[in-house]
Amino acid sequence: MEQSKGRRVIIFPLPFQGHINSMLELANVLHSRGFSITIIHTRFNSLNPSTLNPHFTYHSIPVDFSETEAASRDPKGFLYLLNVRCVEPFRECLVGLLSDDVKLEGPVACLISDTLLHFTRPIAESFKLPRILLDVSCATNFAVLAAFPLLKEKGYLPIQDSRLEEVITELSPIKVKDLPKAPGSDPENYYQLAIQVSNEPKSSYGLILNTFEDLEGHALARIRRHLPNVPIFPIGPFHKCCRTISSSSSLLAQDQSCISWLNTQAPKSVVYVSFGSIIQIEKDQFFEIAWGLANSNQPFLWVVRPGLVNGLDWLEALPNGFLEALNGRAYIVKWAPQKEVLAHLAVGAFWTHNGWNSTMESICEGVPMICTPGYIEQMLIARNVSDVWKVGLQLEHGIERGEVERTIRRLMVEKEGEEIKERSLKLMEKANRCLKEGGSSYQYWDGLAKHILSL
Ligand code: UDX
């Protein structure tokens, strides 16, 4: 891709771990294809350039949040604030970046920003800067958000408790209870957010998704019908596209000691447990998880992020001697090098909240999943895992120690688990294949590079 040398792309991620990881992986691949990369990031959840790709340039903009605002459990309220507070600092940053001096670093081809940062549209337009969007979640989520008006018309929305278990005929096997929602968010507000997000690409120069045709072909077809004039680039799995760069966009320190512990465990024996970077659980759920894992008799590696359990600092509520009684069968860390963990031979299953990054990372290593989705689009992802790709089992009725124990046994010990493991390996092969020459994501990557150069 020699001809793209010197073309600069400005990248603006939403300042949350899952969004940052996807955006920086995308940036790494673009860089490996000859694009120069400028990252704009907020002071809130600020990036640490010393741990990131040294070939990028980084610009921090003065956007902050108080501790109370950052701890908000209302994503829509937080997004609103973010979209207001970023306007002026972002505009000023762009003025600097697009000024004549900086142009000497190479002309800017486009801005790539997160679909949730809708404030970037009028600003990019005012600078005549083409804007491409990255939606960091799955295509299924985008397609379902685009179907919200239909779901309202058919009476599935607003969600009624009496219909939670009903399969939505138009989106089978998705059930009413799987529809995206946010805790504490008024259903009408969430509906408006869905409409806004799903229509945002109409005023953009393209939509990038971290998925691949063989995984979400139906959802991608729906998106193309919804956005007939917008180029769609399903170019995932991002983190497997570019093996040369070793950089970490982790906001928390990754505890490498768990890899040494994994080295002492039998192949495919360990259940890795992590619920991502945002979700909070209640104390009673924490105990059910702990006892379910303990009673399963399988070794487990558990990420208990500080703040994961509402009202607790860390592990202080675990009974005295809980870990010791497990005789080395358990290892707990505050944050793990997750991709390395999932690629480790000792890991046999991933108990996940089904954030999209975690799910893709699991798929790419052929690790079967146990699913306890929390909110927003995680229920949709879990439905795909359990009922469409059939590479995992869902805890459908909340977290209860008996069900946890039974589910781990079904996956790790029983015949049903063997079949799920086989399907997981086949799906992993498809993920690998789409990135090879001639594969769908490989071709869309070429298409994206040409598209950026044509802007
Ligand atoms: C959330 C949603 O769940 C996700 O679907 C949405 O699109 C973005 O917001 P998050 O909770 O962060 O994201 O989950 P996920 O998307 O899975 O991302 C977590 C990232 O943190 C993954 O890339 C994972 O590898 C990393 N991680 C997680 C670690 O590096 N160490 C850990 O211990 C846990």
Side-chain angles (χ1 to χ4, degrees), residues 61-298:
I61 55 172
V63 177
D64 295 294
F65 290 91
S66 68
E67 264 183 39
T68 325
E69 286 167 340
S72 154
R73 297 180 84 182
D74 168 19
K76 181 157 193 302
F78 189 86
L79 275 178
Y80 172 78
L81 279 185
L82 189 66
N83 273 285
V84 171
R85 282 191 199 164
C86 283
V87 173
E88 280 317 312
F90 183 77
R91 189 197 308 277
E92 278 169 29
C93 185
L94 274 190
V95 169
L97 288 174
L98 300 173
S99 72
D100 283 341
D101 279 358
V102 180
K103 268 189 194 154
L104 297 176
E105 287 184 38
V108 176
C110 68
L111 164 73
I112 301 185
S113 77
D114 196 291
T115 27
L116 297 174
L117 294 171
H118 53 83
F119 83 91
T120 56
R121 177 173 53 85
I123 298 182
E125 281 171 3
S126 71
F127 288 102
K128 299 202 169 19
L129 183 61
R131 187 182 65 131
I132 295 178
L133 296 173
L134 167 67
D135 191 294
V136 301
S137 192
C138 54
T140 303
N141 177 50
F142 195 96
V144 169
L145 295 182
F148 262 36
L150 174 77
L151 296 176
K152 196 173 192 178
E153 191 191 308
K154 299 270 178 186
Y156 294 112
L157 287 174
I159 295 172
Q160 297 154 44
D161 285 349
S162 57
R163 299 181 71 178
L164 289 178
E165 292 297 333
E166 205 175 306
V167 172
I168 300 173
T169 328
E170 295 78 1
L171 299 172
S172 177
I174 292 167
K175 297 183 178 181
V176 171
K177 68 176 181 181
D178 304 329
L179 289 174
K181 56 188 150 304
S185 190
D186 167 70
E188 182 55 29
N189 276 348
Y190 199 79
Y191 181 83
Q192 292 307 332
L193 180 68
I195 302 298
Q196 185 176 33
V197 169
S198 61
N199 287 322
E200 192 64 30
K202 289 181 180 167
S203 59
S204 79
Y205 283 72
L207 175 66
I208 299 172
L209 290 146
N210 185 11
T211 190
F212 55 97
E213 285 288 346
D214 262 356
L215 189 68
E216 295 195 281
H218 289 304
L220 286 166
R222 275 184 171 272
I223 295 175
R224 290 190 183 100
R225 286 199 293 277
H226 176 67
L227 302 171
N229 300 318
V230 181
I232 310 289
F233 301 100
I235 49 177
F238 291 176
H239 72 288
K240 289 288 181 185
C241 293
C242 186
R243 285 155 212 261
T244 50
I245 308 286
S246 93
S247 62
S248 169
S249 53
S250 192
L251 297 170
L252 297 170
Q254 296 177 326
D255 186 341
Q256 290 288 338
S257 69
C258 60
I259 301 293
S260 311
W261 179 79
L262 283 175
N263 290 341
T264 66
Q265 304 300 311
K268 304 278 172 230
S269 65
V270 174
V271 181
Y272 169 59
V273 187
S274 171
F275 303 122
S277 65
I278 302 173
I279 246 176
Q280 277 200 315
I281 57 172
E282 299 305 324
K283 231 193 263 182
D284 55 339
Q285 293 176 309
F286 179 62
F287 291 130
E288 294 305 304
I289 295 169
W291 287 113
L293 287 167
N295 297 341
S296 75
N297 279 330
Q298 289 294 137

Side-chain angles (χ1 to χ4, degrees), residues 19 21 254 277 335-336 338 353 355-358 361 377-378:
H19 295 253
N21 286 6
Q254 296 177 326
S277 65
W335 195 244
Q338 180 162 300
H353 69 312
W356 186 234
N357 292 292
S358 295
E361 289 160 14
E377 86 289 35
Q378 294 161 7

Side-chain angles (χ1 to χ4, degrees), residues 313-348:
D313 284 334
W314 197 40
L315 300 177
E316 65 273 19
L318 279 183
N320 273 343
F322 174 84
L323 278 177
E324 293 73 9
L326 293 172
N327 278 330
R329 189 162 61 75
Y331 203 80
I332 300 185
V333 291
K334 291 183 174 165
W335 195 244
Q338 180 162 300
K339 293 190 197 85
E340 224 179 307
V341 166
L342 288 168
H344 198 286
L345 265 185
V347 172

